[in-house]
């Protein structure tokens, strides 16, 4: 096992190096190889430093952006120029609040649905219709009724986090083994205690799987939502840098979105491991 | 008045189909140990679930301690055929869960002490912190037994509690059970497939005919001194008479009872009454 992880890590590094190498070669300024040194000087005299403003940015430019933004992640120079940590913080804040609100609704409601086939059947048509709606489709409605772009963003996260958690909670609760419920019944366990000591632990792996899916979707959606709403957040940062034609910054932001998404998913993977039980 | 009285019990799972069993009637005295034997699928577990209140009968009723059974209760402890341990709890927590349900006001230390005491009784003092998934089938079953005993119910309902145990462990736990029963005078209803186990433990053995429309066909009184031991059992000539009667029933007579009119089951004392194997099943008609 150990040597294998070591090997796979080495291979990952090699693949990354190869990718960056190919990228570097593909974005080398073509002028440098074709033109003479004299022409180069001529270009410098004319104020054209290189082809970097027009072509796809080489990896070195991204490296510079990384050093620049991670070197000072917390600066705040007005609405259009904030450090990357501040922008990510805004996005994570919206995702966190929207996700928690969704959990507060989805888990109790999912419990009710999961325990009562009647309520399940009554609510099923609504869930089936609401679930496939792209969360961004709610944005105009949210902006119109809430009139606050920040809260509208949170609302969109709330809506998109709701369904996977709701459905998984209901599914997990409905699937709790009869034997365990029977044990609770023969011990005359009160409903609230039964919910917390039997049903919740029994359904926890399914519920956390739903939460993990919700969080994944929320992190996908927040970038798009912030592009639409503007103001703050990593999505707005991407949009703003695109408007500045600062592609290295856009690529840097993409990298950060990926890394934060991975960290969030890892968090839920750990939670999942913690609540999973072997039968 | 008997502690438990079952009359005219029947259970039909699918409407329109034949009942799994019908006209089941028997009673259990306070402090009595009653074992039920019958072929797989005849409805033993269903009867036990009705007694526990987990299932409701299609017809008939169950009276326990003067009250009709309407649902499960702490006065009846159940050992499930599938042990039904909570896999997210440790062994100790599984038993503590039951003890806390019975005595919500006890302190944590008291609850743990009592749970530990019953786990030690079934020989699991060394495995308190283990999760059920880390236990063998027999160990899981012993946790289930400890959980049921730990709430000190007035009556115990055991569904093949020793089914998953190897012969050696089975013997030890049977001895433990005998000891506890003799000390506590607990009323017990137990299902088993093991004829010797039935003779060792029971005061009376209910023989169930094959389904559908299964019923309690015969009731065998274990006419041996109450305080039996595994070692002394086979020195008693009564043991072989009872054993032969039970095996004969299971092998050749359990099908003969289908379609008989309703009535009280025959009460038999093998070797002391007439030879039951040669006499045909007669059901005494009740008005
Ligand atoms: N929930 C259910 N729905 C429909 N049929 C059932 C249900 N539970 C049990 N049965 C049927 O009732 C009959 C009796 O089942 P039961 O589990 O009581 O048998 P048993 O005597 O305990 O058998 P075993 O010795 O194998 O444990 C079986 O034929 C079974 O198929
Ligand atoms: Mg059974």
């Amino acid at each position: 096992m150990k040597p294998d992880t070591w090997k796979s890590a080495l291979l990952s590094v090699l693949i990354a190096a190869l990718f960056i190498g190919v990228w570097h070669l593909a974005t080398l300024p073509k002028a440098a190889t074709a033109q003479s040194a004299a022409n180069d000087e001529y270009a410098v005299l004319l104020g054209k430093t290189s082809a970097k403003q027009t072509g796809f940015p080489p990896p070195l430019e991204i490296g510079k952006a990384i050093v620049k933004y991670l070197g000072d992640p917390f600066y705040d120079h007005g609405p259009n120029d904030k450090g990357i940590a501040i922008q990510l913080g805004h996005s994570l804040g919206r995702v966190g609040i929207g996700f928690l609100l969704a959990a507060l609704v989805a888990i109790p409601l999912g419990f009710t649905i999961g325990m009562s086939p009647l309520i399940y059947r009554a609510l099923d048509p609504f869930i089936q219709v609401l679930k496939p709606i792209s969360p961004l489709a709610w944005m105009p409605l949210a902006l119109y009724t809430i009139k606050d772009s920040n809260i509208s963003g949170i609302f969109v996260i709330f809506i998109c986090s709701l369904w996977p958690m709701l459905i998984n909670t209901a599914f997990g609760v409905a699937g709790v083994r009869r034997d365990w419920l029977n044990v609770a019944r023969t011990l005359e366990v009160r409903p609230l205690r039964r919910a917390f000591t039997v049903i919740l632990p029994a359904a926890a792996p399914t519920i956390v799987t739903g939460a993990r899916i919700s969080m994944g979707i929320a992190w996908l959606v927040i970038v798009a939502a912030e592009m639409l709403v503007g103001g703050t957040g990593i999505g707005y940062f991407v949009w703003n840098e695109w408007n500045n034609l600062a592609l290295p910054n856009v690529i840097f932001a993409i990298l950060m979105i990926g890394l934060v998404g991975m960290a969030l998913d890892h968090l839920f993977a750990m939670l999942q491991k913690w609540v999973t039980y072997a039968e | 008045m008997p502690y438990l009285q079952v009359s005219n019990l029947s259970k039909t799972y699918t409407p329109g189909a034949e009942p799994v069993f019908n006209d089941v009637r028997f009673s259990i005295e306070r402090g009595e140990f009653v074992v039920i034997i019958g072929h797989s699928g005849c409805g033993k577990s269903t009867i036990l679930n009705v007694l526990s209140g987990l299932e409701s009968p299609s017809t008939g009723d169950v009276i326990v301690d003067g009250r009709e059974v309407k649902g499960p209760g702490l006065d009846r402890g159940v050992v499930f055929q599938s042990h039904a341990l909570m896999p997210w709890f440790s062994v100790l927590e599984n038993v503590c869960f039951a003890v806390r349900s019975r005595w919500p006001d006890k302190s944590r230390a008291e609850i743990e002490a009592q749970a530990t005491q019953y786990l030690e009784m079934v020989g699991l003092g060394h495995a308190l912190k283990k999760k059920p998934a880390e236990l063998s089938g027999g160990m899981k079953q012993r946790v289930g037994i400890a959980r049921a005993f730990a709430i000190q119910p007035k009556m115990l309902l055991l569904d093949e509690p020793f089914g998953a145990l190897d012969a050696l462990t089975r013997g030890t736990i049977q001895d433990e059970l005998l000891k506890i029963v003799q000390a506590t005078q607990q009323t017990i209803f137990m299902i088993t497939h093991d004829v010797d186990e039935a003779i060792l433990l029971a005061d009376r053995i209910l023989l169930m005919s094959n389904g559908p429309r299964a019923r309690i066909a015969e009731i065998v009184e274990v006419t041996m001194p109450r305080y039996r031991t595994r070692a002394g059992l086979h020195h008693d000539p009564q043991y072989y008479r009872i054993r032969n009667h039970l095996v004969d029933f299971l092998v050749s007579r359990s099908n003969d009872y289908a379609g008989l009119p309703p009535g009280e089951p025959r009460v038999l004392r093998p070797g002391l009454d007439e030879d039951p194997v040669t006499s045909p099943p007669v059901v005494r008609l009740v008005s």
Side-chain angles (χ1 to χ4, degrees):
Chain A
M1 196 64 213
K2 205 75 185 177
D4 263 4
T5 40
W6 193 80
K7 271 185 206 161
S8 67
L10 186 70
L11 202 59
S12 300
V13 170
L14 277 176
I15 292 171
L18 189 71
F19 175 73
I20 294 171
V22 170
W23 180 4
H24 178 71
L25 290 178
T27 51
L28 272 182
K30 293 191 179 69
T33 47
Q35 288 170 338
S36 68
N39 269 349
D40 231 12
E41 275 171 32
Y42 181 63
V44 171
L45 281 175
L46 281 178
K48 280 170 94 180
T49 44
S50 79
K52 79 175 173 189
Q53 293 300 329
T54 48
F56 195 82
L60 215 61
E61 293 292 320
I62 315 298
K64 279 182 198 155
I66 293 175
V67 170
K68 178 183 153 215
Y69 280 105
L70 291 189
D72 185 11
F74 292 106
Y75 73 87
D76 189 350
H77 301 156
N80 281 349
D81 194 8
K82 293 185 204 304
I84 191 74
I86 291 182
Q87 301 288 29
L88 282 171
H90 278 291
S91 299
L92 282 172
R94 287 189 188 110
V95 166
I97 294 171
F99 178 86
L100 280 181
L101 289 176
L104 283 180
V105 173
I107 293 173
L109 190 62
F111 251 75
T112 322
I113 294 176
M115 297 220 266
S116 156
L118 178 74
I119 299 178
Y120 174 79
R121 279 197 300 275
L123 290 183
D124 192 47
F126 300 103
I127 296 174
Q128 295 303 331
V129 170
L130 292 172
K131 188 181 62 162
I133 299 172
S134 162
L136 293 171
W138 294 99
M139 192 57 110
L141 218 56
L143 283 172
Y144 177 77
T145 42
I146 303 173
K147 296 190 174 61
D148 180 299
S149 62
N150 199 21
I151 300 180
S152 298
I154 292 172
F155 173 76
V156 166
I157 295 303
F158 168 80
I159 282 287
C160 75
S161 311
L162 191 64
W163 310 117
M165 270 195 281
L166 180 66
I167 290 163
N168 267 46
T169 305
F171 186 74
V173 168
V176 173
R177 283 247 309 266
R178 256 195 102 74
D179 278 347
W180 301 331
L181 296 175
N182 281 346
V183 169
R185 286 176 65 199
T186 59
L187 294 173
E188 294 184 42
V189 177
R190 303 244 160 271
L192 205 63
R193 179 162 178 250
R194 187 185 57 182
F196 280 104
T197 55
V198 180
I199 300 174
L200 191 62
T206 324
I207 296 174
V208 173
T209 304
R212 191 175 174 184
I213 297 169
S214 282
M215 182 50 87
I217 295 175
W219 190 243
L220 290 180
V221 166
I222 192 65
V223 175
E226 286 170 347
M227 282 182 173
L228 277 178
V229 180
T232 48
I234 190 74
Y236 174 69
F237 179 86
V238 170
W239 194 246
N240 198 29
E241 296 303 316
W242 156 242
N243 284 336
N244 294 343
L245 276 181
L247 278 189
N249 293 351
V250 171
I251 294 173
F252 164 69
I254 288 174
L255 195 66
M256 292 311 292
I257 293 169
L259 287 175
V260 171
M262 187 179 80
L264 287 174
D265 192 61
H266 193 69
L267 222 63
F268 277 86
M270 288 197 307
L271 186 61
Q272 211 166 15
K273 206 170 153 192
W274 185 63
V275 297
T276 297
Y277 48 83
E279 279 198 50
Chain B
M1 186 170 173
Y3 181 72
L4 177 141
Q5 175 90 52
V6 174
S7 40
N8 188 32
L9 209 65
S10 77
K11 180 75 186 180
T12 314
Y13 275 110
T14 37
E18 277 196 289
V20 175
F21 54 78
N22 68 345
D23 191 39
V24 164
R25 45 176 96 186
F26 63 92
S27 61
I28 302 178
E29 296 297 328
R30 198 179 294 273
E32 199 180 17
F33 197 133
V34 170
V35 168
I36 187 164
I37 283 188
H39 283 287
S40 183
C42 67
K44 304 180 294 297
S45 293
T46 309
I47 290 182
L48 186 132
N49 286 340
V50 171
L51 299 191
S52 71
L54 289 170
E55 294 227 34
S56 48
S58 304
T59 68
D61 45 41
V62 178
I63 311 276
V64 172
D65 212 2
R67 279 206 210 98
E68 189 178 347
V69 168
K70 295 268 189 226
L74 283 161
D75 58 327
R76 282 152 290 143
V78 184
V79 174
F80 294 87
Q81 192 167 8
S82 54
H83 38 76
L85 301 180
M86 321 261 180
W88 53 89
F89 282 153
S90 71
V91 164
L92 182 64
E93 285 165 342
N94 262 289
V95 181
C96 284
F97 178 73
V99 176
R100 184 168 292 120
S101 308
R102 176 77 171 79
W103 295 281
D105 298 330
K106 274 198 180 184
S107 76
R108 191 193 172 84
E110 282 175 303
I111 288 172
E112 282 189 359
Q114 177 154 349
T116 308
Q117 177 202 333
Y118 279 87
L119 281 164
E120 276 167 356
M121 178 192 88
V122 295
L124 285 177
H126 61 283
L128 300 180
K129 294 275 169 284
K130 287 212 164 108
K131 288 278 163 69
E134 302 167 65
L135 304 182
S136 70
M139 290 163 92
K140 283 184 207 162
Q141 198 58 278
R142 278 142 74 190
V143 180
I145 293 167
R147 179 173 62 184
F149 276 85
I151 61 167
Q152 301 174 352
K154 289 196 189 130
M155 181 178 190
L156 276 162
L157 304 167
L158 314 177
D159 196 342
E160 293 186 44
F162 311 130
L165 304 184
D166 63 283
L168 210 63
T169 325
R170 180 185 269 248
T172 339
I173 304 214
Q174 283 169 350
D175 284 344
E176 288 294 345
L177 183 62
L178 267 180
K179 252 191 264 168
I180 301 166
V181 169
Q182 285 160 10
T184 58
Q185 292 297 312
Q186 214 141 27
T187 313
I188 298 188
F189 178 81
M190 178 170 124
I191 299 174
T192 183
H193 278 126
D194 182 336
V195 170
D196 292 318
E197 182 172 285
I199 302 171
L200 174 67
L201 298 171
D203 298 314
R204 282 189 299 146
I205 302 172
L206 313 181
L207 300 180
M208 207 168 167
S209 64
N210 293 347
R213 295 187 175 280
R215 59 161 76 205
I216 307 294
E218 299 175 4
I219 296 176
V220 171
E221 285 185 5
V222 181
T223 45
M224 294 164 71
R226 175 120 205 233
Y227 299 118
R228 308 184 264 274
T229 58
R230 268 189 308 143
L233 201 62
H234 55 273
H235 296 302
D236 190 326
Q238 263 312 93
Y239 165 72
Y240 294 98
R241 301 192 186 109
I242 296 170
R243 192 176 198 285
N244 287 342
H245 183 91
L246 300 182
V247 172
D248 277 334
F249 175 85
L250 290 174
V251 172
S252 47
R253 281 180 295 127
S254 55
N255 265 325
D256 294 354
Y257 287 85
L260 283 183
E264 292 289 333
R266 290 199 297 172
V267 179
L268 297 153
R269 299 188 301 158
L272 301 181
D273 296 337
E274 81 277 31
D275 185 5
V277 179
T278 50
S279 62
V282 177
V283 176
R284 278 177 226 132
L285 283 174
V286 183
S287 58

